[in-house]
Amino acid sequence: MTPTPLHRLAEAQRAGLQERLEAAPNPVEEVARKVQTQARLSVNMKPSILRAVLKGERHLNMFEYAEREARETGRGVDEILRDRLGDWYTRRIAFEVEMGGGRNFHYHCLNVGGLGAQRFGRLCVIDRRDPSDRPPEPVWIAWDSLGHEEFWDGADGLDQRALAEWVAPCDEPGALAALKLAETPAGTGPLPERICNNEDFIEGLCLEGLSHSEVGEIRSDEKFSDDHLQERALRIALYGASMDEKLDLMAAQETRALAKDLGIRWNVVQS
Amino acid sequence: MIELIASAPDGWAIVRDHKGLWILRPPYGLEDRDPQTDLQVARALAHEDFVFRHLEFEGWGSLCRQLQEERIEHASAEELRDAEEVPSKILSEATAEQVESHLEAIEEALRAGHFGGARDVLLTLMKADSVRASKDLYDRILGMLEEAIQERRRDTADAGEPDHAWKISNTPQLNRQAEVVRANEGFMNTTSAA
């Protein structure tokens, strides 16, 4: 795979990251070690999107969604993206143009356990591959590349020097995460939640979308547990329910069954 | 007023009310909505299969009813049929522990007079592998089933309904019960022999 400008920018930071890590206090090294050994890419999805992936579709990025809509409606991809991204359009396109070198990214998260950024979808899908083993993917960015104000100037132009301080190549998630937590303490909760939660996460950018053969694990809250599905089924069978509720139960059951058929682990995590 | 900004074929919706932006999910209970920032909404709109709607509703109730109706309209005949059967499908895969827990809930339902639902669930549970593997569970369910039928008969008699009316309307159910019991005879014999 030909590296993008973002890949090159991350690679150029390798030595600097290590220097900063060595200058940091001891606990940082421990965080770096933990993250380095447990790091995985995750992406949170709605159940319907996960079902499409489990049925064989590759997970789409925003450009691919817009292209699909463009084919169906005859509208232009740029017009669709402008509508959907609203005030964030300028930044996202600037980032893709400057850092993608003509290609477009899939935005995932660094995950070391937990349910990921659930507001983006209730199901946390974990890539089974060790991210360090598939260079040059992914590139890690310590903050949300779209929303982190320090990466952007007043005119929504990308500040590449600010970005460069907080990117890391695929095999350095531990160093980047430890430096982020050291320089901007993010509370005292469990490490997985400090690394990835609804408000804050470390991005993992790839050029390829996830397919079902790469899914190693799916994590959900109790609402997708076997016991909860049983309780819902019992309540509906005993007392009746709207068709809408039955459709929802069917969707949950189908998602679990697809994962089981593919031999994908499903872990229920207390939320 | 509430604005439905966008919705997706799976029934998820992006909504704005006087408090801000929300993601709303089926089955549209209070716990099925989460607050969103402007950035999170932009990301959802760009990364998911949402379609802009820009419709106004008087309140959450009318919005949820509209989304429920649309979800059913979008479903195929096959999906609607499968959705009717999914509770039974799930219950027939219950583990022994889950069946134990279900039986407690069914006893409550029987005490509250939900005879029809209780009888159907008991018939479904009789087919579960976990029940077929446990004579105790099977016998307990059979006992509850007989009780449900007796209670239902007493209930209809007390209500002054002609006894035959219930028998006729429930003949398919009774046939199903007989079918399940017959299907389990082999299991019962094997267990007794063991």
Side-chain angles (χ1 to χ4, degrees):
Chain A
M1 176 191 296
T2 314
T4 65
L6 182 66
H7 289 101
R8 287 194 290 273
L9 188 69
E11 194 54 43
Q13 306 312 309
R14 186 183 292 280
L17 275 174
Q18 285 305 324
E19 279 169 23
R20 285 160 68 193
L21 194 64
E22 280 162 21
N26 278 339
V28 171
E29 280 187 21
E30 197 181 319
V31 169
R33 238 189 335 269
K34 271 190 187 169
V35 171
Q36 194 68 32
T37 53
Q38 296 169 16
R40 284 289 181 273
L41 272 177
S42 74
V43 55
N44 283 72
M45 298 181 194
K46 298 193 296 178
S48 62
I49 301 288
L50 174 59
R51 281 199 298 284
V53 170
L54 296 179
K55 285 176 179 173
E57 282 183 27
R58 200 165 263 284
H59 190 230
L60 304 180
N61 65 21
M62 68 179 77
F63 290 87
E64 292 160 340
Y65 265 117
E67 282 162 13
R68 190 166 78 174
E69 187 179 336
R71 282 194 296 275
E72 289 166 2
T73 63
R75 296 175 70 209
V77 169
D78 189 64
E79 182 191 353
I80 292 165
L81 284 171
R82 200 178 284 274
D83 271 358
R84 288 180 174 267
L85 287 164
D87 292 343
W88 302 95
Y89 169 85
T90 307
R91 283 189 183 186
R92 182 43 87 218
I93 298 303
F95 185 90
E96 292 276 341
V97 167
E98 289 183 46
M99 293 288 103
R103 282 173 293 171
N104 299 121
F105 295 111
H106 289 258
Y107 294 83
H108 302 159
C109 292
L110 171 63
N111 188 298
V112 294
L115 290 167
Q118 266 202 303
R119 274 193 198 159
F120 299 121
R122 298 172 67 196
L123 302 174
C124 184
V125 179
I126 310 291
D127 191 325
R128 65 177 169 74
R129 298 165 294 180
D130 182 339
S132 297
D133 286 348
R134 41 183 299 226
E137 303 249 68
V139 170
W140 304 107
I141 300 180
W143 315 93
D144 173 359
S145 58
L146 191 55
H148 190 57
E149 293 300 329
E150 289 176 25
F151 293 162
W152 301 96
D153 64 26
D156 281 344
L158 180 62
D159 182 342
Q160 287 199 28
R161 286 179 64 181
L163 177 68
E165 277 192 49
W166 290 107
V167 296
C170 66
D171 54 349
E172 293 287 4
L176 187 70
L179 287 170
K180 175 182 176 180
L181 294 190
E183 295 193 22
T184 53
T188 54
L191 184 63
E193 284 168 31
R194 292 168 67 198
I195 296 291
C196 184
N197 60 61
N198 280 325
E199 318 300 335
D200 188 19
F201 45 86
I202 295 172
E203 281 185 342
L205 276 63
C206 300
L207 292 170
E208 284 282 309
L210 201 67
S211 75
H212 69 68
S213 62
E214 289 137 13
V215 176
E217 180 187 345
I218 297 162
R219 297 193 197 126
S220 73
D221 60 18
E222 310 86 66
K223 288 186 177 172
F224 282 81
S225 71
D226 284 335
D227 283 350
H228 190 78
L229 294 187
Q230 283 287 333
E231 282 167 24
R232 284 182 69 188
L234 179 69
R235 185 170 40 78
I236 291 172
L238 280 177
Y239 303 111
S242 65
M243 174 52 76
D244 180 59
E245 200 166 334
K246 291 174 191 169
L247 284 168
D248 194 58
L249 180 64
M250 182 173 75
Q253 190 270 342
E254 191 187 338
T255 313
R256 295 276 330 235
L258 281 167
K260 188 177 175 187
D261 289 348
L262 291 167
I264 296 169
R265 272 199 322 277
W266 192 294
N267 283 328
V268 174
V269 178
Q270 293 288 328
S271 55
Chain B
M1 295 296 277
I2 292 180
E3 185 192 3
L4 171 61
I5 296 172
S7 65
D10 58 6
W12 282 48
I14 296 171
V15 177
R16 187 198 313 270
D17 75 353
H18 66 286
K19 288 183 183 166
L21 293 159
W22 302 83
I23 282 273
L24 176 63
R25 304 177 292 267
Y28 310 115
L30 281 176
E31 70 279 17
D32 298 317
R33 62 184 79 162
D34 281 320
Q36 300 284 302
T37 64
D38 175 52
L39 174 55
Q40 286 166 337
V41 163
R43 205 185 295 272
L45 284 167
H47 285 269
E48 309 271 10
D49 52 350
F50 287 101
V51 176
F52 283 110
R53 303 293 299 275
H54 298 301
L55 294 174
E56 290 205 329
F57 292 84
E58 296 219 338
W60 285 93
S62 53
L63 166 66
C64 291
R65 276 193 297 280
Q66 168 92 17
L67 290 169
Q68 283 170 335
E69 283 168 17
E70 288 179 4
R71 195 160 179 234
I72 294 165
E73 279 168 23
H74 284 143
S76 67
E78 188 186 359
E79 283 173 317
L80 294 175
R81 193 185 59 237
D82 290 350
E84 287 291 358
E85 289 168 9
V86 81
S88 297
K89 189 175 173 185
I90 292 172
L91 290 170
S92 67
E93 291 168 3
T95 63
E97 291 76 21
Q98 287 163 342
V99 171
E100 293 270 7
S101 164
H102 290 345
L103 293 183
E104 284 174 27
I106 293 166
E107 276 170 359
E108 265 180 45
L110 282 171
R111 280 196 293 275
H114 294 279
F115 305 115
R119 184 193 52 221
D120 290 349
V121 173
L122 289 166
L123 285 167
T124 301
L125 291 177
M126 283 179 103
K127 296 180 205 164
D129 286 347
S130 58
V131 173
R132 293 169 67 90
S134 162
K135 186 172 186 310
D136 284 350
L137 275 180
Y138 184 88
D139 287 346
R140 195 171 155 200
I141 289 172
L142 198 58
M144 288 174 72
L145 195 53
E146 282 166 4
E147 189 188 332
I149 291 167
Q150 292 300 326
E151 288 290 337
R152 173 62 181 162
R153 285 199 171 125
R154 266 196 294 275
D155 196 53
T156 48
D158 290 349
E161 290 175 31
D163 192 34
H164 69 269
W166 183 77
K167 279 181 185 165
I168 291 167
S169 64
N170 286 280
T171 298
Q173 294 292 351
L174 290 172
N175 289 343
R176 272 183 64 201
Q177 180 195 354
E179 184 189 313
V180 171
V181 173
R182 271 199 304 278
N184 281 284
E185 275 173 2
F187 148 74
M188 297 301 289
N189 293 337
T190 308
T191 310
S192 300

